[in-house]
Amino acid sequence: MEDSFQRIMDDINRSTKKVQVLPVKETIKEEARKRLSLNPESVCGTVIENTGGIIIEDWIRLYGSGEVNVIARNELCPFEEFVVGEDILGGLYVYLENGNIGYFAPDCLELEDMEIRYPQFLYWCLHGDTDTFYLDYRWKGWQQEVAKLGYDEGVAFYPFLWAGAESLESRMRKVVPINEMIGLEFDYLKQI
């Protein structure tokens, strides 16, 4: 297990992106071991057991056993599937039944298969073209704004991303608790 975590850390260190690895909290790690049926030899299990979460460019948060708590974050979501990460917009990365990672998109509130497995997903987060993936949702100066976010905060837009608007710039932006953003998305889905 130490070798697989070292390989992940080596991959993180090779990334040209800003990456933070948060410290593990032993109580959360023990709870995760008890409640989740994770394979500690898998890349996903290794990330959850050995990090408190991984933050990529202050935008993507991969869940772990610490401040970005895999158990607490999964309790927010009504998915049958396991949620492995989020972005600051309220988008969720979900471990699908077929073994792929899916993205619950905050602009359409639908779960889309990314057609990659967790190891490829981690590689994409660290080395892939996330700029193009989020191109329509990044505003001028986003790096400075999101660097100030707490790990339990996100950026909400009004009108909401799933509602019509002329452009991203025509929407108001506000920092809100991520649990409120995710809760609002699922509350809206229940109404439609």
Side-chain angles (χ1 to χ4, degrees):
M1 186 161 50
E2 288 179 19
D3 287 344
S4 57
F5 182 56
Q6 187 56 55
R7 283 194 296 274
I8 291 169
M9 287 304 299
D10 291 345
D11 206 26
I12 288 169
N13 291 331
R14 281 192 296 273
S15 177
T16 58
K17 300 179 183 187
K18 177 183 174 187
V19 181
Q20 297 166 273
V21 178
L22 303 179
V24 171
K25 293 184 180 175
E26 288 301 320
T27 53
I28 298 171
K29 181 178 177 174
E30 288 307 313
E31 187 179 0
R33 280 184 175 163
K34 288 177 190 168
R35 293 180 56 183
L36 306 174
S37 55
L38 293 174
N39 175 358
E41 299 298 318
S42 71
V43 175
C44 182
T46 300
V47 166
I48 290 170
E49 284 226 342
N50 293 280
T51 77
I54 300 174
I55 314 299
I56 299 102
E57 295 190 320
D58 300 310
W59 192 279
I60 297 173
R61 301 170 183 146
L62 304 183
Y63 298 162
S65 295
E67 196 167 348
V68 184
N69 183 337
V70 64
I71 294 168
R73 293 299 220 267
N74 268 273
E75 288 172 351
L76 296 173
C77 305
F79 290 125
E80 296 278 324
E81 296 90 356
F82 184 61
V83 184
V84 297
E86 69 193 24
D87 60 40
I88 62 155
L89 304 174
L92 300 170
Y93 293 101
V94 181
Y95 215 117
L96 302 175
E97 281 184 17
N98 65 6
N100 288 345
I101 297 299
Y103 180 63
F104 178 75
D107 60 347
C108 64
L109 302 181
E110 292 179 2
L111 187 56
E112 305 160 355
D113 191 333
M114 294 179 73
E115 299 181 359
I116 55 175
R117 305 288 182 163
Y118 189 92
Q120 291 82 27
F121 167 67
L122 178 60
Y123 185 87
W124 173 77
C125 289
L126 297 172
H127 304 285
D129 191 1
T130 53
D131 288 334
T132 298
F133 188 78
Y134 288 110
L135 184 65
D136 293 338
Y137 301 101
R138 288 188 168 164
W139 58 94
K140 186 175 178 164
W142 68 268
Q143 295 96 331
Q144 292 77 22
E145 277 187 52
V146 302
K148 298 173 189 169
L149 292 177
Y151 302 133
D152 59 348
E153 295 178 320
V155 177
F157 288 88
Y158 188 81
F160 301 114
L161 291 176
W162 63 82
E166 288 180 29
S167 66
L168 189 67
E169 289 76 27
S170 70
R171 300 174 195 262
M172 293 185 312
R173 260 188 330 273
K174 184 178 178 184
V175 174
V176 298
I178 195 76
N179 61 343
E180 285 182 21
M181 287 177 67
I182 293 169
L184 188 62
E185 290 170 348
F186 291 114
D187 286 346
Y188 181 76
L189 274 178
K190 287 178 196 169
Q191 294 173 23
I192 57 172

